[in-house]
């Protein structure tokens, strides 16, 4: 649980949202059956429900987004804009040439376009055919990458 709290502290810039997310994650840990029974991921207690709960909470609050592997940039763009907004950053990217690229190609390009913001996108692997992305200040990049091997930079 401590590791997941630290991840929240790194990827959520708003203190009030951190507090809410930590309380909600604590509820999942205390009563995993409620989370397992009330989500769309078809989980059971043998799954890493706390990791997936963390992901779902971050998505719900707009600190992560999930796209299918076959989705194009227009789908990701909405999630990226929400992340930028939560980090109080403006979308000043020149991204017109990204719309015809696959996710594995456009995410690294987005990171290069974000280089002037001091934030970068990271993947949070949920062992599926989707991409879960979050945003992190580059000052916390190494710390986040050391937290869990399911987190990687695009």
């Amino acid at each position: 649980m401590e590791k997941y709290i630290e991840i929240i502290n790194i990827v959520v810039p708003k203190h009030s949202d951190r507090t809410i997310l930590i309380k909600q994650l604590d509820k999942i840990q205390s009563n995993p059956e409620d989370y397992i029974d009330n989500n769309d991921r078809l989980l059971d207690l043998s799954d890493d429900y706390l990791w997936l709960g963390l992901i779902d909470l971050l998505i719900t609050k707009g600190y992560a987004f999930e796209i299918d592997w076959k989705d194009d940039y227009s789908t990701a763009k909405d999630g990226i804009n929400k992340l930028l907004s939560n980090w109080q950053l403006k979308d000043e990217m020149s991204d017109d040439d990204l719309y015809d690229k696959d996710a594995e190609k456009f995410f690294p390009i987005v990171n290069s376009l974000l280089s002037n913001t001091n934030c970068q996108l990271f993947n949070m692997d949920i062992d599926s055919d989707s991409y879960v992305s979050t945003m992190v200040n580059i000052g916390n990049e190494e710390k986040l990458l050391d937290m869990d091997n399911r987190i990687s930079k695009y």
Side-chain angles (χ1 to χ4, degrees):
M1 179 73 170
E2 283 184 40
K3 172 173 73 171
Y4 298 142
I5 291 171
E6 188 59 30
I7 291 170
I8 289 171
N9 287 328
I10 292 171
V11 304
V12 178
K14 294 177 188 165
H15 180 72
S16 59
D17 285 345
R18 287 184 206 155
T19 303
I20 292 167
L21 289 168
I22 291 168
K23 285 180 184 177
Q24 291 174 328
L25 191 62
D26 187 51
K27 286 181 184 178
I28 292 171
Q29 183 182 32
S30 298
N31 193 352
E33 291 83 6
D34 274 353
Y35 170 71
I36 290 169
D37 292 342
N38 295 302
N39 75 66
D40 297 328
R41 296 196 186 272
L42 305 172
L43 305 174
D44 61 41
L45 285 173
S46 68
D47 293 305
D48 191 350
Y49 61 85
L50 203 54
W51 171 253
L52 294 169
L54 168 67
I55 300 295
D56 287 340
L57 291 171
L58 291 173
I59 290 170
T60 299
K61 279 292 201 180
Y63 293 103
F65 66 92
E66 182 175 1
I67 65 168
D68 194 71
W69 69 271
K70 63 183 178 279
D71 286 336
D72 65 12
Y73 180 68
S74 61
T75 305
K77 174 83 172 171
D78 293 336
I80 292 167
N81 282 337
K82 180 67 175 173
L83 291 175
L84 289 168
S85 174
N86 276 335
W87 279 88
Q88 298 181 345
L89 299 169
K90 293 180 183 174
D91 178 5
E92 297 176 356
M93 296 187 300
S94 175
D95 57 3
D96 292 337
D97 61 337
L98 298 179
Y99 288 91
D100 63 341
K101 297 189 182 333
D102 295 332
E104 65 183 31
K105 300 275 192 240
F106 68 69
F107 277 121
I109 296 170
V110 169
N111 269 346
S112 67
L113 294 172
L114 290 172
S115 62
N116 65 333
T117 68
N118 291 325
C119 287
Q120 293 284 277
L121 293 176
F122 288 78
N123 181 54
M124 302 177 86
D125 187 9
I126 58 170
D127 196 26
S128 77
D129 62 353
S130 64
Y131 292 89
V132 175
S133 302
T134 191
M135 185 171 278
V136 176
N137 182 289
I138 58 172
N140 288 320
E141 179 177 325
E142 290 303 318
K143 187 175 184 180
L144 181 67
L145 290 171
D146 290 342
M147 300 288 314
D148 197 293
N149 63 1
R150 295 171 288 192
I151 300 172
S152 61
K153 187 174 179 180
Y154 288 112

